[in-house]
Amino acid sequence: MVRTRLSRLFPVVAASAGVLALSACGSGGTTPAASSSTPSTSESATSSTASTATPSTSAPAPATSPTAAPVDNGLCKSGDVKLALGQGDAGAGSLYRSLVITNASGKPCEIQGFPGVSYVGGTDGHQVGKDAFREGTKGNAVKLNPGQSAAADIQFVNVRNFDSATCQPTEVKGLRIYLPQETASNFVPAPGTGCASTKIPGNQLAVKTVHPS
């Protein structure tokens, strides 16, 4: 009687065990699949941002304005002229010579005022003594067509009239000339002697305004 009851219980227990085993297997198989198929919120946001982002572009460089050409103001430039010293006239311890300025360019130019004049010497063309003193008043403008000339009178003082210790007599090779309103110079040969000192009681050179020749 007891054996009969036990034999009836075994199939029930076995069936229950099988159901539990199947439940366990089913539960273990679905969990990994669920976790691997659902992306995280941060991953979705990153993917969405990457797909919709607009590539950055650099701003175009600003256009540069072309360099302005030098303005032709009609004045005679150093490269437009040829310079020469005219014949001299002596008097009162000085020599007077005209600086002749000839328009050697192919276009008219204008000149007005005092040239800058100084002695130069040595192999490096350094200035010797003071600039020429400007004597008188500024004259009218002189227009020079190609080939035409103007002049400016220069006084060359005999530097032996000065005390040698004060003058410091120095050999010179010529004159450095700056045309009025010009920043580039010309050289005119004029070998002689000048005062290296700037403390002489007077002027070793003097120049007058440009005038028609």
Side-chain angles (χ1 to χ4, degrees):
M1 188 72 177
V2 173
R3 182 176 296 178
T4 301
R5 290 178 178 176
L6 289 175
S7 63
R8 291 178 178 175
L9 289 174
F10 281 137
V12 175
V13 173
S16 300
V19 172
L20 291 174
L22 288 174
S23 299
C25 290
S27 175
T30 57
T31 301
S35 62
S36 61
S37 61
T38 305
S40 65
T41 303
S42 59
E43 290 175 350
S44 298
T46 303
S47 175
S48 175
T49 302
S51 63
T52 59
T54 302
S56 62
T57 57
S58 57
T64 56
S65 58
T67 303
V71 177
D72 184 0
N73 54 16
L75 298 178
C76 297
K77 308 293 193 302
S78 62
D80 296 333
V81 300
K82 289 184 179 180
L83 305 182
L85 288 173
Q87 297 299 317
D89 295 322
S94 295
L95 180 67
Y96 297 87
R97 301 181 70 179
S98 292
L99 173 68
V100 181
I101 307 166
T102 303
N103 182 0
S105 72
K107 59 183 180 180
C109 66
E110 192 172 273
I111 187 168
Q112 181 181 17
F114 298 89
V117 181
S118 62
Y119 279 131
V120 292
T123 58
D124 58 351
H126 64 273
Q127 181 169 327
V128 176
K130 295 189 295 184
D131 296 344
F133 174 75
R134 295 180 176 184
E135 183 179 319
T137 58
K138 181 178 179 180
N140 297 325
V142 179
K143 182 177 180 180
L144 299 179
N145 290 316
Q148 290 184 330
S149 300
D153 300 325
I154 300 176
Q155 178 186 7
F156 298 81
V157 176
N158 185 344
V159 298
R160 290 182 175 83
N161 296 336
F162 301 113
D163 176 71
S164 60
T166 303
C167 170
Q168 300 174 17
T170 302
E171 180 183 355
V172 298
K173 293 187 175 182
L175 301 173
R176 178 180 291 127
I177 308 292
Y178 288 94
L179 298 182
Q181 293 87 50
E182 173 65 309
T183 57
S185 64
N186 298 77
F187 172 75
V188 178
T193 304
C195 291
S197 173
T198 59
K199 298 180 181 179
I200 58 174
N203 303 295
Q204 62 178 348
L205 292 169
V207 63
K208 292 184 178 181
T209 191
V210 173
H211 59 81
S213 62

